[in-house]
Amino acid sequence: MGILGSNILRLSSYQQMDDTGCRVNGENYYTQIICNDLATVFFTTKHKNRLTALDILRNFESRSFIFNDESFSLLKQLRVSKKNINLLHEVEKNNTFNEQKMQEILNKIFPDPNKGKNNRIRIMEACAIASYHQEIGRPIVKVLLCDDAPQFKLITDELSLCWVHDDRHYKRLRPVVPDHQNDLTDFLGRYWDFYRILYEYKDNPTCEHASIISTKFDTLFSTTTGYTELDDRIAKTKSKKKGITNSIKPS
């Protein structure tokens, strides 16, 4: 990503990330994008996992890992087994390791390379995230705007979910019954009417306005239509209220 990528991280209080599949010399790769209101950078990576997302935010510098209070908290959130967490407590705390040293630590815990693959990945992710958060001399992204893909979760303090990506779940519904078709059309109209209210909030970011929007969100996404697939989708959007309304912060 180079100098341009490093500078883009300093230009805004948030960054937006996304990825899409592509082919490179007949192999599967991913086109990555990182952007904000002022700049956009595209590039290509072999993977689209959480470590790759961190690589992007760290300008592809050598990976670093640390065992500290945050990493152990993340290990629990990532559902690493208590047995493995207890073993990791024996590792030196609050010192950063490079990737080679991290692999040596993991090889002692998982001597069989065919076992514990998911746990190895989760441990590396937790320690890499914790190391990223305590780094000095680089911009640490606090707010990430993205879809609900797992590779973006836990990396930043706050996650803002994208309305366009959420809408795609509704577009995938294929109702056959005419009443269900009407239910979907009606709800999507109300969905985007609500989204337009968010734009109005930009011009009037007050506590009162935020409270009104919060109430309208709860009302809209408590809708029941009798079309089961649509009602399930509405409930899922409501469960993501914190992320999808993260921009509603009174000034």
Side-chain angles (χ1 to χ4, degrees):
M1 193 158 56
I3 295 175
L4 177 59
S6 179
N7 286 337
I8 193 176
L9 300 177
R10 303 178 188 276
L11 292 175
S12 175
S13 60
Y14 80 96
Q15 302 296 332
Q16 182 170 357
M17 291 182 69
D18 201 359
D19 55 58
T20 187
C22 66
R23 299 283 284 177
V24 177
N25 295 326
E27 295 186 25
N28 291 328
Y29 276 71
Y30 297 92
T31 297
Q32 304 276 357
I33 176 175
I34 182 167
C35 62
N36 53 45
D37 287 344
L38 301 173
T40 301
V41 178
F42 294 89
F43 46 95
T44 303
T45 63
K46 179 62 177 175
H47 305 287
K48 65 168 188 176
N49 52 32
R50 196 177 272 116
L51 289 174
T52 299
L54 277 170
D55 288 340
I56 295 167
L57 296 180
R58 298 184 67 255
N59 202 23
F60 291 96
E61 294 186 13
S62 298
R63 291 174 177 174
S64 64
F65 306 85
I66 193 170
F67 289 93
N68 59 13
D69 290 342
E70 182 183 12
S71 64
F72 281 104
S73 174
L74 289 167
L75 289 172
K76 293 178 182 178
Q77 294 180 64
L78 292 169
R79 299 182 180 180
V80 174
S81 69
K82 290 183 179 180
K83 175 184 176 182
N84 288 325
I85 291 177
N86 289 336
L87 291 173
L88 292 169
H89 273 292
E90 299 177 8
V91 179
E92 185 178 3
K93 308 293 193 305
N94 300 316
N95 280 336
T96 55
F97 303 108
N98 60 25
E99 190 160 9
Q100 179 180 348
K101 179 62 177 177
M102 189 65 181
Q103 291 295 348
E104 292 174 2
I105 293 170
L106 293 174
N107 287 339
K108 291 180 180 179
I109 298 175
F110 306 104
D112 186 342
N114 296 316
K115 294 183 179 180
K117 291 183 179 180
N118 287 336
N119 271 317
R120 290 176 71 109
I121 292 171
R122 298 295 175 258
I123 293 168
M124 290 185 70
E125 290 174 343
C127 294
I129 292 170
S131 179
Y132 169 63
H133 287 170
Q134 56 93 56
E135 286 181 331
I136 299 173
R138 76 169 72 253
I140 306 301
V141 177
K142 299 298 184 183
V143 181
L144 195 62
L145 174 59
C146 54
D147 62 21
D148 200 30
Q151 65 264 28
F152 300 126
K153 295 178 179 178
L154 301 177
I155 291 177
T156 55
D157 290 345
E158 299 181 51
L159 204 64
S160 288
L161 299 180
C162 174
W163 283 84
V164 173
H165 282 93
D166 184 70
D167 171 67
R168 290 178 184 174
H169 295 295
Y170 293 91
K171 295 292 180 60
R172 293 191 183 105
L173 297 176
R174 294 290 184 269
V176 176
V177 178
D179 283 349
H180 293 171
Q181 294 172 351
N182 292 334
D183 289 336
L184 178 58
T185 299
D186 176 69
F187 182 80
L188 284 177
R190 294 165 59 204
Y191 181 102
W192 288 111
D193 285 344
F194 176 82
Y195 180 77
R196 294 182 187 96
I197 294 174
L198 300 181
Y199 273 92
E200 297 173 4
Y201 175 81
K202 291 175 64 177
D203 299 325
N204 184 29
T206 64
C207 290
E208 181 181 4
H209 201 175
S211 179
I212 292 172
I213 289 176
S214 178
T215 299
K216 287 185 176 181
F217 179 95
D218 292 339
T219 299
L220 174 61
F221 292 100
S222 295
T223 298
T224 55
T225 65
Y227 173 20
T228 302
E229 288 80 3
L230 175 58
D231 291 346
D232 289 346
R233 185 65 252 168
I234 293 171
K236 288 178 181 177
T237 299
K238 185 177 182 180
S239 71
K240 299 173 184 177
K241 179 180 180 180
K242 180 179 179 180
I244 206 165
T245 62
N246 190 49
S247 61
I248 308 303
K249 295 179 178 178
S251 59

